[in-house]
Amino acid sequence: MIRERIEELRRQLDYHNHRYYVENAPEISDFEFDAMMHELQRLEAEHPEYADPTSPTMRVGSDLCAEFRTVRHRYPMLSLGNTYSTDELHEFIERIEREVGPTDYVCELKFDGTAISLTYEHGRLTQAVTRGDGVAGDDVTANVRTIRSVPLRLRGEGWPELFEIRGEILMPYASFDRLNAEREANGEPLFANPRNAAAGTLKQQASSVVARRGLDCTLYQLAGDQLPFTSHWESLRKAREWGFKVSEHMRICHNAAEIDAFIAHWDEARRSLPFPTDGVVIKVNDFALRRQLGFTAKAPKWAVAYKFKAEQALTRLESVSFQVGRTGAITPVANLDPVLLAGTTVRRATLHNAEQMALLDIRPGDMVYVEKGGEIIPKITGVELAKRPADSRPFEYITHCPVCHTPLVRYEGEAKHYCPNQSGCRPQIIGRILHFIRRKALDIEGLGEETVELLYDNGLVHDIADLYDLKAEQLAPLPRLGEKSAENIIRSIRRSTEVPFRRVLFGLGIRFVGETTAKYLADHFRSLEAVMQASREELVEADEVGEKIADAILEYFTDAENRRIIERLHRAGLQFEASARELASEALAGRSFVVSGRFSRSREEMKELIEQHGGRNLSAVSGNVDFLVAGEKMGPEKRKKAEKLGIRILSEEEFLRMLETGAEPQVKAPAAEVPSAAPAQQTIGESAADTSEPRQGELF
Ligand code: IVH
């Protein structure tokens, strides 16, 4: 019974997942999907004997750290010959036709991500390996499983028992923008383009991080010993039937003119695609002819990549300004004579750092080339020297902070200059306070950028610890505030002393310590004191902490000013310790909850509260549940079921009171221990790929 239900849910979820992520045509609501997913999660948790690495529940990933195994490819992952010129492309076609006569070509987009090879055995995904050096790559199976458009089990029929399919892991622009916005807010280095972001994400050690980053995967090439096809087109059509995401934007072309037209179309049309592309790949369609054409040492002779030229514009560099970030990092920014580029007007471009500027010998007044590759911020790639004004002089990089005039410094291994005046440089101080009060950090409401500037300029705050000395009487007279807002701000500041340790650690704004790293540090060290006392060697033992992060942490805590601030924050009562699993209290320890309906705070916050106080969240009402916290508009079915099972139903107020008082509610005994919801990652057995020599001639 249970087993059938689990199988049915897996089938349904796979189907709807495919409708949503591959076909872009969902049939059910997110809510219905989530409900099925929760049911499956619960059943799998209750019945670990039915665990399956290809279950849709595996897509949420795990916090376990992966060490990537190096795996030899069964068939080498070759690269493609590249060209930017139509003449060279025509030569390629002429050469093919000289050897095998007129033939058909499949034209596809060249996706700008990172290459992946997926192995399917008996219709199930068993391995995902990066390109690596083409002969061997990293086993990133656990991470790839979290990508919703990658089928974990195949649909339809006719797939070979064992085959590989290759494609590109992509980060759509929307995911990329979201990720970088988050990183910027955390003071983490930004990814330069979606390609780097996709590759970097795939090498993430915790698959749960990968699961949240919105990667996509498009497949474009099959490999196997006995593929039952005679052409590429046919193989991809079948692959699509088996559930793979295969691009719609492909065409069979019969001659150079048709290929040229395909390229011309996509050179323009690619701008409206939601993911990055950097060219067109032209492949001989017929597998028999491919075998006849063969390979060079590096690439097949039956395919070539035509690369689009990056979009460029020429404009005048009016001036250079300098931004000071919250960490003191200086970024030179080009102010340009506005110019139209790839559909938007560009006024500013990044100049990265002093070295980059010197390398290009960029000078104000120059005519410069601006490019917009996959990059978020346009960049300057060159100078038109022929148009340089006669009186031009080399640009002298600033030596002092543009705001506080402190001499700038360089750190070893870093290209940027820094203003070291952490405690006296306005944009750094304001930036740090704004970071500290963010929702994901101390979550202090009522204080926006303008108010923080106001507080600083009126001498009321100089550092994050000053916030805790503020009094409503000091705030009320300030412009735009008044008594009510002043009191709200003070209340919000006071409430922030309850924010759990990991968010306090994140809020300190230590370089490179983003939200996730802070969580790992808090989990590992449990208290700020332990983090402060940790050596470099001890720091890198925490998940996701490398040497660079370790050094930044050491540097932060060596600073006397930082230590003083921490001392004051400690006195103000901030959480500097994680109790058992970062617990705020043990009031709910050993009890299981289902939260349903609407509350004055979000359901996520309600669940977090439960966890912070030692309780456990379950997704569905069952015999294992102790309390149902019922909000507005909760479905009557749930209530009925809970009543039938004798589960205590709490209103939001009752629940909050229970948190505060820790009062023992009168209910049945705590439920027996249930295995944690996420099944452990299964290790994939050794495969033939580890030992066998790659066989170049057997790509098809
Ligand atoms: S076919 C043996 N098709 O471009 C040839 N590659 O420069 C296998 N790429 O490593 C590759 N889109 O990562 C092929 N439609 C496409 C592609 C594509 C992007 C990438 C791939 C490959 C690189 C070669």
Side-chain angles (χ1 to χ4, degrees):
M1 246 305 271
I2 300 280
R3 185 178 190 150
E4 275 86 74
R5 180 66 188 152
I6 288 181
E7 271 312 312
E8 172 61 18
L9 284 167
R10 287 178 180 164
R11 248 193 317 275
Q12 288 273 340
L13 285 164
D14 276 343
Y15 173 80
H16 291 295
N17 200 57
H18 184 268
R19 294 291 302 178
Y20 189 99
Y21 289 102
V22 178
E23 294 180 31
N24 273 329
E27 285 174 11
I28 59 171
S29 68
D30 289 0
F31 180 79
E32 289 167 291
F33 187 92
D34 288 347
M36 278 199 275
M37 182 63 92
H38 287 149
E39 187 184 347
L40 179 58
Q41 276 168 339
R42 179 177 59 83
L43 289 176
E44 287 182 351
E46 288 168 2
H47 298 275
E49 67 274 23
Y50 301 135
D52 183 331
T54 64
S55 168
T57 53
M58 299 304 286
R59 299 210 190 257
V60 294
S62 135
D63 279 346
L64 295 178
C65 250
E67 287 275 318
F68 301 118
R69 259 186 341 142
T70 306
V71 174
R72 232 176 141 78
H73 294 296
R74 272 191 200 81
Y75 315 97
M77 282 182 85
L78 301 172
S79 62
L80 290 176
N82 260 340
T83 179
Y84 285 91
S85 111
T86 354
D87 285 351
E88 277 179 26
L89 175 64
H90 292 168
E91 280 166 29
F92 164 82
I93 294 164
E94 281 158 24
R95 185 171 52 71
I96 302 258
E97 311 224 326
R98 258 200 315 277
E99 274 196 52
V100 301
T103 187
D104 289 350
Y105 302 87
V106 177
C107 290
E108 302 168 10
L109 291 174
K110 186 169 181 330
F111 303 98
D112 196 10
T114 183
I116 193 79
S117 186
L118 309 176
T119 301
Y120 284 81
E121 292 175 64
H122 305 288
R124 285 157 171 261
L125 173 70
T126 53
Q127 199 167 59
V129 184
T130 61
R131 193 175 114 85
D133 61 4
V135 175
D138 283 330
D139 179 340
V140 289
T141 315
N143 286 349
V144 169
R145 275 209 189 99
T146 68
I147 302 174
R148 307 301 201 267
S149 48
V150 172
L152 301 178
R153 304 138 176 246
L154 300 184
R155 7 166 76 213
E157 51 198 29
W159 16 267
E161 273 188 11
L162 169 69
F163 72 98
E164 286 187 30
I165 186 161
R166 285 161 181 189
E168 206 82 355
I169 305 240
L170 294 170
M171 186 171 285
Y173 291 121
S175 310
F176 175 72
D177 292 343
R178 197 184 53 211
L179 174 63
N180 258 351
E182 231 177 84
R183 291 176 75 85
E184 181 161 32
N186 289 350
E188 293 168 304
L190 302 190
F191 285 112
N193 52 48
R195 177 180 3 97
N196 292 0
T201 299
L202 207 56
K203 294 286 180 67
Q204 267 289 325
Q205 293 188 323
S207 55
S208 54
V209 175
V210 183
R212 289 194 297 269
R213 291 221 183 144
L215 291 176
D216 201 351
C217 178
T218 293
L219 285 314
Y220 46 63
Q221 196 72 42
L222 272 89
D225 281 349
Q226 274 161 350
L227 295 179
F229 314 110
T230 56
S231 76
H232 182 60
W233 188 265
E234 186 193 352
S235 71
L236 290 187
R237 192 170 50 78
K238 274 290 178 197
R240 197 178 282 137
E241 282 175 25
W242 299 337
F244 291 107
K245 188 163 192 168
V246 173
S247 172
E248 299 283 335
H249 311 308
M250 319 192 326
R251 235 194 95 179
I252 294 191
C253 291
H254 304 92
N255 51 46
E258 287 181 15
I259 295 173
D260 290 349
F262 184 88
I263 292 175
H265 170 74
W266 282 110
D267 200 358
E268 191 58 39
R270 71 192 181 107
R271 290 179 201 170
S272 44
L273 290 172
F275 49 79
T277 55
D278 61 342
V280 164
V281 181
I282 300 107
K283 305 173 178 175
V284 169
N285 188 25
D286 188 297
F287 282 172
L289 297 184
R290 285 189 179 188
R291 276 191 287 272
Q292 204 176 320
L293 288 159
F295 297 84
T296 67
K298 281 203 222 126
K301 289 191 194 164
W302 41 259
V304 73
Y306 174 89
K307 301 250 278 186
F308 297 132
K309 285 173 210 66
E311 296 176 63
Q312 258 192 356
L314 192 63
T315 188
R316 185 175 307 280
L317 173 63
E318 302 286 359
S319 63
V320 178
S321 41
F322 295 88
Q323 286 176 348
V324 187
R326 110 175 119 78
T327 58
I330 306 286
T331 305
V333 178
N335 301 308
L336 304 165
D337 191 6
V339 62
L340 203 64
L341 178 62
T344 52
T345 305
V346 176
R347 291 188 170 79
R348 284 151 76 80
T350 175
L351 290 162
H352 298 293
N353 53 53
E355 234 163 76
Q356 195 66 24
M357 286 188 69
L359 210 67
L360 295 172
D361 184 20
I362 293 178
R363 310 174 183 188
D366 274 347
M367 292 301 287
V368 292
Y369 289 100
V370 194
E371 252 185 39
K372 219 164 149 189
E375 280 74 12
I376 1 150
I377 312 166
K379 60 180 178 192
I380 291 184
T381 53
V383 176
E384 184 53 70
L385 291 175
K387 299 196 176 169
R388 174 164 280 172
D391 58 352
S392 154
R393 296 250 171 87
F395 183 75
E396 281 182 29
Y397 203 76
I398 50 168
T399 51
H400 291 70
C401 175
V403 181
C404 72
H405 313 293
T406 305
L408 300 180
V409 295
R410 297 277 300 268
Y411 299 114
E412 210 185 297
E414 286 209 41
K416 289 204 164 178
H417 284 71
Y418 281 82
C419 167
N421 182 16
Q422 287 181 15
S423 51
C425 180
R426 187 177 185 271
Q428 294 189 57
I429 297 169
I430 290 174
R432 278 198 304 273
I433 297 172
L434 286 172
H435 172 77
F436 183 77
I437 64 177
R438 290 175 53 187
R439 205 170 53 78
K440 288 182 169 181
L442 278 289
D443 191 19
I444 299 177
E445 287 168 12
L447 281 179
E449 189 166 347
E450 273 181 30
T451 316
V452 171
E453 285 176 356
L454 208 62
L455 293 179
Y456 176 79
D457 294 337
N458 281 280
L460 291 174
V461 289
H462 291 94
D463 57 51
I464 51 179
D466 288 340
L467 290 170
Y468 295 89
D469 296 335
L470 282 176
K471 301 203 167 41
E473 307 87 81
Q474 293 173 300
L475 299 179
L478 295 175
R480 290 188 303 273
L481 281 183
E483 260 171 46
K484 194 147 182 281
S485 330
E487 268 160 30
N488 283 340
I489 292 171
I490 298 295
R491 199 169 316 122
S492 186
I493 292 175
R494 211 172 309 128
R495 216 174 29 223
S496 74
T497 57
E498 285 158 33
V499 162
F501 170 51
R502 74 186 126 84
R503 280 168 49 193
V504 176
L505 189 54
F506 169 58
L508 293 180
I510 303 170
R511 271 206 300 162
F512 313 126
V513 177
E515 208 189 339
T516 317
T517 310
K519 175 178 172 300
Y520 284 127
L521 282 167
D523 283 351
H524 187 91
F525 290 102
R526 325 287 314 155
S527 74
L528 191 65
E529 201 179 344
V531 178
M532 289 172 75
Q533 282 172 359
S535 65
R536 193 166 188 259
E537 292 70 33
E538 287 163 343
L539 285 168
V540 296
E541 274 170 26
D543 290 348
E544 301 280 314
V545 175
E547 287 175 4
K548 195 167 99 174
I549 299 180
D551 286 343
I553 296 170
L554 289 172
E555 189 189 312
Y556 181 89
F557 290 117
T558 315
D559 186 281
E561 180 66 28
N562 287 342
R563 295 180 82 98
R564 264 195 300 277
I565 290 174
I566 283 172
E567 183 50 44
R568 289 171 59 210
L569 291 176
H570 194 38
R571 259 184 280 141
L574 265 67
Q575 303 295 321
F576 276 13
E577 265 177 48
S579 38
R581 255 208 306 105
E582 186 68 72
L583 297 187
S585 86
E586 304 263 354
L588 310 180
R591 304 212 158 69
S592 310
F593 291 78
V594 166
V595 177
S596 180
R598 292 215 197 119
F599 302 92
S600 67
R601 55 193 83 207
S602 78
R603 242 194 334 263
E604 278 319 304
E605 281 175 278
M606 291 291 282
K607 288 184 180 173
E608 205 175 317
L609 271 178
I610 291 174
E611 281 187 14
Q612 279 169 9
H613 291 267
R616 184 169 49 210
N617 286 296
L618 294 178
S619 48
V621 175
S622 75
N624 294 325
V625 175
D626 300 313
F627 296 96
L628 171 63
V629 190
E632 271 174 48
K633 301 210 169 130
M634 182 183 80
E637 286 304 312
K638 271 214 176 109
R639 179 176 294 273
K640 237 189 265 164
K641 191 164 177 195
E643 281 168 356
K644 213 168 96 196
L645 291 167
I647 295 168
R648 173 95 181 258
I649 301 174
L650 299 176
S651 67
E652 183 176 356
E653 289 74 9
E654 288 175 306
F655 166 74
L656 293 176
R657 209 167 318 127
M658 188 171 149
L659 278 189
E660 263 170 32
T661 59
E664 184 73 23
Q666 297 184 345
V667 283
K668 62 191 179 85
E673 196 54 35
V674 173
S676 86
Q681 291 276 303
Q682 293 216 338
T683 326
I684 305 302
E686 296 285 295
S687 84
D690 295 334
T691 49
S692 65
E693 283 293 308
R695 289 158 293 180
Q696 176 153 303
E698 292 175 8
L699 245 175
F700 305 105

